Amino acid sequence: MRLTTILKRFNSINFIKHSKFYFVGNLFSKGINILLMPIFTRILSTSDYGIIAIYQTFVNIFIIVATISLEQSVRHIYLREKHIFKEFTGSVLNFLLLFNILFIGILWMIQKDVVNIFELQKGLFLYALLNILFGGANAIYNMYLMASQQSKKFMLIQVISALFIPLIAIPLILKANKELYLWRIIPQVLITGVLAIYSSYSLIKISKFTLKINHVKRALKFSLPLLPHFLATFILVQFDRIAINKIIDSSATGIYSFGYSLGSILNAVFASTNAAWLPIFYKNLKNKEYDFVKMKMISYVKLILFISALMIIFSKEAIWILADEKFYSAINLVPSIVLGISFTFLFTIYVSYLYYIEKTKLIPILTIAAGVLNIVLNILFIPVYGIIAAAVTTLVSYILLFVLTYLSVKKSTETIKEGFLGFNLILKYLIVLTIVGILFHVLNVAEINYLILLAVKVVVLPLVMLLFFKRSDIDFIKQLITKKQ
């Protein structure tokens, strides 16, 4: 498939238009952290980094519980039954307010047990509760913006959050002489709170103030089965940090979290394109444009997996540029981390089918299975092999999640089977990416001479391009470069 054809096809469906705004927003929410790494890795210790990572894990997990995944039902109703959206959203918001009052109260009463389980640093619990409370409103409003394709407004909110948190945090950290992690967390709570006020006001404007039990029941019926799924997903993503923190220490957690921060570059690309992709996916399946859906999906998969390969190839240089020397050991983690994120992307591509046909009850079964495997493997291998075991075992769990999801979707999509993307159509690109990941993991661990490593990269990069794209695609890229010059 020609690159020109891919770009024209995406441009004709506003994919590129919305993706670029989502990408800018995600670039600032995730990418700005990458750009500021040379500062944060020098003013924070590896232990500070680990404490912040555990705090973020705690907040993210409990935001999922606090929202009961109801933001997913809001997006679903907007995309499929827009005529009831106002009443539906109003009912969800009122129910969620009552639930959050109860939930925060329960957390407060059991705070000692919860803090001990997560080994959350003393004094951070109140900040975490505020973060959780604010996060729910922001999650629902952001989901509405993505569903309604208001990509510019979504981008603006992400930029404000990503820009102001570090701008406030860096001077505070430089002035502090102890508990440096605290001065990275306080600005996050403040900015999240300001955005929560704006999100709540905006949601009230687009909703009808009501509490219809039938809407609440439908929202819970759609979202509750997803709650174990999202919790299990976070176990997949975050349990390794919790395990490292308990089994080793916060310093090792900091190094591991830094390695995953590099993966956030890929997450930024994936999140921005996926936000633009889902409305297109729903629309074309609804219109029974099945061949068009599959052609666009192949192009989408090629794009993300190729970017993943680039990240693996140049991960060593990225860490040298972005990190202080005390974080260099994260170099060995990146290939496994990027491969894991790539399989997460493939899982998300296929699980969209289950969302569309409203078979969400299958999803938590899949993620719980992968989550349980991740817990067992981390407990068994981290004490023996250290943080590298966490990266590899999480990758294995992601592979299992993808395989189970693919098989489940294949059996469950009889009504839209003509729009199902067969694994054989993407297998070639996945094999290439896996070979690249294994190769550079071995080379990084071996610590070979850098000139030899550079020579390998010079050979491998063109080969990957040729395997992903036709020669005509490469000629087209050259023409674009020549024209710009």
Side-chain angles (χ1 to χ4, degrees), residues 197-208:
I197 293 170
Y198 172 75
S199 295
S200 299
Y201 173 74
S202 301
L203 286 168
I204 291 169
K205 284 176 64 178
I206 61 171
S207 306
K208 186 175 180 180

Side-chain angles (χ1 to χ4, degrees), residues 58 108 201 297 353 409 427:
F58 181 90
W108 183 261
Y201 173 74
M297 285 181 77
Y353 286 106
V409 170
L427 179 59

Side-chain angles (χ1 to χ4, degrees), residues 102-132:
L102 176 64
F103 179 68
I104 295 296
I106 293 171
L107 270 184
W108 183 261
M109 288 187 290
I110 62 170
Q111 62 176 287
K112 286 185 179 179
D113 295 326
V114 173
V115 167
N116 288 335
I117 290 170
F118 284 85
E119 293 194 355
L120 191 67
Q121 201 71 13
K122 290 181 179 179
L124 295 183
F125 185 75
L126 180 59
Y127 295 112
L129 284 187
L130 291 172
N131 241 162
I132 291 163

Side-chain angles (χ1 to χ4, degrees), residues 309 312 335-336 339 431-442 444:
I312 291 172
S336 297
L339 279 172
I431 289 173
V432 172
L433 176 63
T434 303
I435 292 172
V436 170
I438 293 171
L439 172 64
F440 282 93
H441 174 75
V442 171
N444 288 339

